[in-house]
């Protein structure tokens, strides 16, 4: 199922320069990591509902679980899962459980200052679901909850679609993007041609 398109978590990788990893995963050359035994991931799943309920109480929102996947109505390769949505169907909630050391990368509670990878994931989810509002709800260190209301503009959606469409085209054509690391480079180019190249800056 993961190989049928580009998902919200892939958007995180693309915006941080790791499109080559997404390419390798979709073409079967790189196995996706098994996170079933990663304790922080499992705690994030366990805490997802209480974080969502606490955020909803703070923001005075009526929410419901959005435990489903959707495909963009025009771009069948653009897909997403979701966490929660308001009962009126107008606002998504993306829930995160991060360690306290990440808190300084975010703005104050109620601001829209979030790192690029979280912004890309939220933008992707809003684009697929067809909404303009998504709230990133983050619990830092198990003790500080901050909410970040994000309004998604149509231009941002179009730029994201164009960026992801280019990568999806490369995946279909088996035309890899530039490697994001030497390890990825070795997978993309397993044969040594003997050529030597001087790296530019």
């Amino acid at each position: 199922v993961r190989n049928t398109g580009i998902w919200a978590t892939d958007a995180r990788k693309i915006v941080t320069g790791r499109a080559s990893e997404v390419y390798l995963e979709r073409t079967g050359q790189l196995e996706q990591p098994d996170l079933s035994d990663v304790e922080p991931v499992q705690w994030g799943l366990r805490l997802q509902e209480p974080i969502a309920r606490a955020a909803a109480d703070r923001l005075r929102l009526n929410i419901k679980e959005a435990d489903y996947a959707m495909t963009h109505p025009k771009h069948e390769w653009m897909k997403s899962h979701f966490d929660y949505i308001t009962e009126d169907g107008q606002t998504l909630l993306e829930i995160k459980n991060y360690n306290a050391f990440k808190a300084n990368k975010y703005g104050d509670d109620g601001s829209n200052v979030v790192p690029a990878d979280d912004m890309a994931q939220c933008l992707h989810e809003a684009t697929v679901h067809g909404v303009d509002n998504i709230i990133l709800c983050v619990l830092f260190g198990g003790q500080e909850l901050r909410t970040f209301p994000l309004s998604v503009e149509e231009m941002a959606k179009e730029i994201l679609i164009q960026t992801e469409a280019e990568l999806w085209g490369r995946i279909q054509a088996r035309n890899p993007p530039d490697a994001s690391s030497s390890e990825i480079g070795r997978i993309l180019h397993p044969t040594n041609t003997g050529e030597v190249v001087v790296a530019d800056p």
Side-chain angles (χ1 to χ4, degrees):
V1 172
R2 291 286 302 177
N3 288 342
T4 62
I6 294 178
W7 299 74
T9 50
D10 299 323
R12 299 178 66 89
K13 295 179 181 178
I14 294 168
V15 78
T16 54
R18 295 160 55 204
S20 54
E21 290 181 36
V22 179
Y23 173 89
L24 289 173
E25 289 171 355
R26 293 299 169 275
T27 56
Q29 300 176 70
L30 182 65
E31 201 170 311
Q32 292 191 17
D34 180 7
L35 303 177
S36 59
D37 292 328
V38 179
E39 193 165 7
V41 173
Q42 296 309 310
W43 274 111
L45 293 173
R46 292 186 184 101
L47 293 173
Q48 186 168 284
E49 183 176 357
I51 293 171
R53 296 300 171 191
D57 288 346
R58 176 182 294 183
L59 300 171
R60 297 181 180 177
L61 296 173
N62 295 320
I63 64 171
K64 58 183 179 180
E65 193 172 7
D67 187 20
Y68 50 81
M70 287 179 65
T71 300
H72 190 281
K74 293 183 180 178
H75 309 288
E76 61 182 18
W77 48 265
M78 193 175 193
K79 303 170 184 288
S80 186
H81 291 105
F82 311 96
D83 291 338
Y84 288 82
I85 191 169
T86 54
E87 288 186 349
D88 63 7
Q90 298 301 306
T91 303
L92 291 168
L93 279 75
E94 173 61 27
I95 312 301
K96 297 293 185 187
N97 178 45
Y98 289 150
N99 65 55
F101 299 107
K102 292 192 72 169
N104 62 1
K105 297 181 180 179
Y106 295 75
D108 295 331
D109 180 50
S111 74
N112 63 356
V113 180
V114 301
D117 52 356
D118 280 322
M119 180 65 81
Q121 180 177 354
C122 289
L123 176 57
H124 182 105
E125 291 175 6
T127 302
V128 171
H129 210 292
V131 300
D132 296 329
N133 299 295
I134 182 167
I135 303 171
L136 178 65
C137 310
V138 186
L139 182 67
F140 293 104
Q143 58 189 14
E144 182 189 2
L145 176 64
R146 297 187 206 169
T147 58
F148 305 94
L150 307 172
S151 295
V152 180
E153 298 179 356
E154 287 302 315
M155 182 178 293
K157 291 180 180 180
E158 288 302 318
I159 292 172
L160 179 74
I161 290 171
Q162 291 172 16
T163 301
E164 293 184 356
E166 179 184 356
L167 177 59
W168 186 248
R170 285 179 172 274
I171 291 168
Q172 298 304 297
R174 296 299 191 268
N175 176 25
D178 292 338
S180 55
S181 68
S182 57
E183 290 78 11
I184 295 297
R186 280 192 284 273
I187 298 173
L188 287 172
H189 310 287
T191 303
N192 180 8
T193 64
E195 296 180 26
V196 176
V197 178
V198 178
D200 61 21

